[in-house]
Amino acid sequence: MTAVLESAPPAPRPSVVGDTVQLAGRHLRLMARRPSSIIGAIVMPVMFALLFFTVFGRIMERQGMDFAQYLLPAIVLQAVYFSALSGAVWAAEDASSGMVSRLRAMPIARTAPVASLIVGEVARAVIGTLVLIAVGYCFGFRFETGVVGVAAFFALVIVSGVAIVLPYLVLGYSAKDPEAAQAIGGTIYFPLLLVSTLFVPKRAYPGWLQPIVENQPLSRICDALRAVSTDAATVTANAGHPVNTGQAVLIALAWCVGSVIVFGLLAPRAFGRTA
């Protein structure tokens, strides 16, 4: 008698796209069940927008600025940073709860957990951007560059979202503690926020500080968002100097690509070293 042995079906091969989609779905479902995620994505940026438009709008307009066109890209970029900080907290929670260890033991692509957090947080940033644009329209913001400007604006939001979320994921996986990740992330974020052209133009800073303010990544990305959404004359009047749209976009993309390359290499390693 010949025994017939049935071989076990081969294990499914890891798929970066499939695994990322599955894990991103989990991340989005968890975010939807957590009120703090909704507050961070929508409520906080809207509160900042209302505060700045109401308190500083008339003051800045007396200085000859179209404040709605100047401010909204800054608030959008701030919302992207809120999503990045949330990503750091999620990564730290996964590391401290043992979720990372479970994912490492599963037959999934090694980059999928990191990519899924990026997808979830960037999606949240895009949703927040849509809400902020609706608020901005109530205060006079308009896309003055047509359909191409709208497409370029959202493309920059997505690209900058990936570039900003990645370093925070490295921070979260390395810290392995949500409170520490949030504290360190805020310590990094607020100096970049305050020493930038997000809320006031370069000319408002002392002369020795202006080169730093002008060339730091947040300022460059925000300048590009303004350039693609507002006509050149208004951008020049708001900034106090001529702004070349193509050059502004290329410099912002250079910062983003550099961040993606550096932290895109570090993030899977940080995930892999998490116990």
Side-chain angles (χ1 to χ4, degrees):
M1 176 181 290
T2 303
V4 178
L5 299 177
E6 295 183 0
S7 60
R13 292 184 178 180
S15 167
V16 175
V17 175
D19 296 340
T20 298
V21 170
Q22 292 292 327
L23 291 174
R26 164 193 172 264
H27 184 49
L28 291 170
R29 288 191 296 271
L30 290 175
M31 280 199 299
R33 297 169 188 167
R34 182 178 292 188
S36 61
S37 293
I38 299 173
I39 292 173
I42 299 175
V43 178
M44 288 295 292
V46 169
M47 288 179 60
F48 275 104
L50 294 175
L51 176 65
F52 279 105
F53 277 128
T54 303
V55 175
F56 298 110
R58 292 184 179 180
I59 297 174
M60 301 303 286
E61 286 174 0
R62 289 171 188 167
Q63 303 298 318
M65 294 182 64
D66 187 337
F67 196 53
Q69 297 299 129
Y70 189 85
L71 179 65
L72 187 76
I75 299 295
V76 167
L77 195 55
Q78 188 180 43
V80 172
Y81 252 90
F82 285 152
S83 292
L85 188 57
S86 170
V89 173
W90 281 104
E93 287 182 351
D94 283 349
S96 61
S97 66
M99 185 63 187
V100 168
S101 297
R102 292 173 58 189
L103 291 173
R104 289 174 60 190
M106 296 172 64
I108 61 174
R110 186 175 181 181
T111 57
V114 175
S116 66
L117 284 175
I118 294 172
V119 171
E121 296 302 337
V122 171
R124 191 172 78 147
V126 170
I127 293 171
T129 299
L130 291 171
V131 175
L132 286 170
I133 289 173
V135 173
Y137 262 70
C138 296
F139 286 91
F141 173 82
R142 296 293 184 271
F143 278 105
E144 300 174 347
T145 51
V147 177
V148 174
V150 175
F153 189 91
F154 277 94
L156 279 171
V157 169
I158 293 171
V159 172
S160 62
V162 176
I164 294 170
V165 168
L166 263 171
Y168 276 83
L169 293 185
V170 173
L171 169 63
Y173 285 129
S174 301
K176 303 178 186 178
D177 178 62
E179 292 184 2
Q182 190 166 20
I184 297 171
T187 302
I188 297 171
Y189 161 66
F190 284 108
L192 286 172
L193 171 71
L194 296 175
V195 187
S196 73
T197 59
L198 263 70
F199 301 111
V200 293
K202 180 186 70 172
R203 61 180 180 271
Y205 293 89
W208 63 270
L209 191 57
Q210 289 182 9
I212 298 173
V213 170
E214 181 181 18
N215 293 296
Q216 64 117 309
L218 276 188
S219 296
R220 287 301 192 178
I221 295 171
C222 199
D223 288 346
L225 289 172
R226 290 172 180 139
V228 300
S229 61
T230 306
D231 69 79
T234 303
V235 172
T236 298
N238 285 341
H241 58 83
V243 176
N244 182 288
T245 300
Q247 183 180 15
V249 172
L250 287 176
I251 294 174
L253 289 177
W255 273 111
C256 292
V257 170
S259 175
V260 170
I261 291 173
V262 173
F263 292 100
L265 294 173
L266 292 176
R269 295 182 181 181
F271 173 82
R273 287 196 301 267
T274 302

Coordinates of all heavy atoms in Angstrom, one line a residue, residues 65 70 201-203 233-243:
M65 N -1.3 92.9 4.1 CA -1.3 91.5 3.8 C -2.7 91.0 3.5 O -3.7 91.4 4.1 CB -0.7 90.7 4.9 CG 0.8 91.0 5.2 SD 1.4 90.0 6.5 CE 1.2 88.3 5.8
Y70 N -2.4 84.0 3.3 CA -1.1 83.8 3.9 C -1.3 82.7 5.0 O -0.4 81.9 5.2 CB -0.6 85.1 4.6 CG 0.8 85.0 5.1 CD1 1.9 85.2 4.3 CD2 1.0 84.7 6.4 CE1 3.2 85.1 4.8 CE2 2.3 84.6 6.9 CZ 3.4 84.8 6.1 OH 4.7 84.7 6.6
P201 N 5.7 87.0 8.3 CA 6.8 87.0 7.2 C 8.2 87.1 7.8 O 8.4 87.5 8.9 CB 6.4 88.2 6.4 CG 5.6 89.1 7.3 CD 4.9 88.2 8.2
K202 N 9.1 86.8 6.9 CA 10.5 86.9 7.3 C 11.0 88.2 7.8 O 11.8 88.3 8.8 CB 11.4 86.5 6.1 CG 12.9 86.5 6.3 CD 13.7 86.2 5.1 CE 13.6 87.4 4.1 NZ 14.5 87.2 2.9
R203 N 10.4 89.3 7.3 CA 10.9 90.6 7.7 C 10.5 91.0 9.1 O 11.1 92.0 9.6 CB 10.2 91.7 6.7 CG 8.7 91.7 6.7 CD 8.2 92.7 5.8 NE 6.7 92.8 5.8 CZ 5.9 92.1 5.0 NH1 6.5 91.2 4.1 NH2 4.6 92.2 5.0
A233 N 1.3 88.0 -7.5 CA 1.3 89.4 -7.0 C 1.0 89.4 -5.5 O 1.6 90.1 -4.7 CB 0.4 90.3 -7.7
T234 N 0.0 88.6 -5.1 CA -0.4 88.5 -3.7 C 0.7 87.9 -2.8 O 1.0 88.3 -1.7 CB -1.7 87.8 -3.5 OG1 -2.7 88.4 -4.3 CG2 -2.2 87.8 -2.1
V235 N 1.3 86.8 -3.4 CA 2.4 86.1 -2.7 C 3.5 87.0 -2.4 O 4.1 87.1 -1.3 CB 2.8 84.9 -3.5 CG1 4.1 84.3 -2.8 CG2 1.7 83.8 -3.5
T236 N 3.9 87.8 -3.5 CA 5.0 88.8 -3.3 C 4.7 89.9 -2.3 O 5.5 90.2 -1.5 CB 5.3 89.5 -4.7 OG1 5.7 88.5 -5.6 CG2 6.4 90.5 -4.5
A237 N 3.4 90.4 -2.3 CA 3.0 91.4 -1.3 C 3.0 90.8 0.1 O 3.5 91.5 1.0 CB 1.6 91.9 -1.7
N238 N 2.6 89.6 0.3 CA 2.5 89.0 1.6 C 3.9 88.7 2.1 O 4.2 89.0 3.3 CB 1.7 87.7 1.6 CG 0.2 88.0 1.5 OD1 -0.2 89.1 1.8 ND2 -0.5 87.0 1.1
A239 N 4.8 88.2 1.2 CA 6.2 87.8 1.7 C 7.1 89.0 1.8 O 8.1 89.0 2.6 CB 6.8 86.8 0.7
G240 N 6.8 90.1 1.1 CA 7.7 91.3 1.1 C 8.8 91.2 0.1 O 9.7 92.0 0.1
H241 N 8.8 90.1 -0.7 CA 9.9 90.0 -1.7 C 9.3 89.1 -2.8 O 8.4 88.3 -2.6 CB 11.2 89.4 -1.1 CG 10.9 88.0 -0.5 ND1 10.9 86.9 -1.1 CD2 10.7 87.7 0.8 CE1 10.7 85.9 -0.3 NE2 10.6 86.4 0.9
P242 N 9.9 89.1 -4.1 CA 9.4 88.3 -5.1 C 9.6 86.8 -4.8 O 10.6 86.4 -4.2 CB 10.3 88.7 -6.3 CG 10.8 90.0 -6.0 CD 11.0 90.1 -4.5
V243 N 8.6 86.0 -5.2 CA 8.6 84.6 -5.0 C 8.4 83.8 -6.3 O 7.4 84.1 -7.0 CB 7.5 84.1 -4.0 CG1 7.5 82.6 -3.8 CG2 7.7 84.8 -2.6

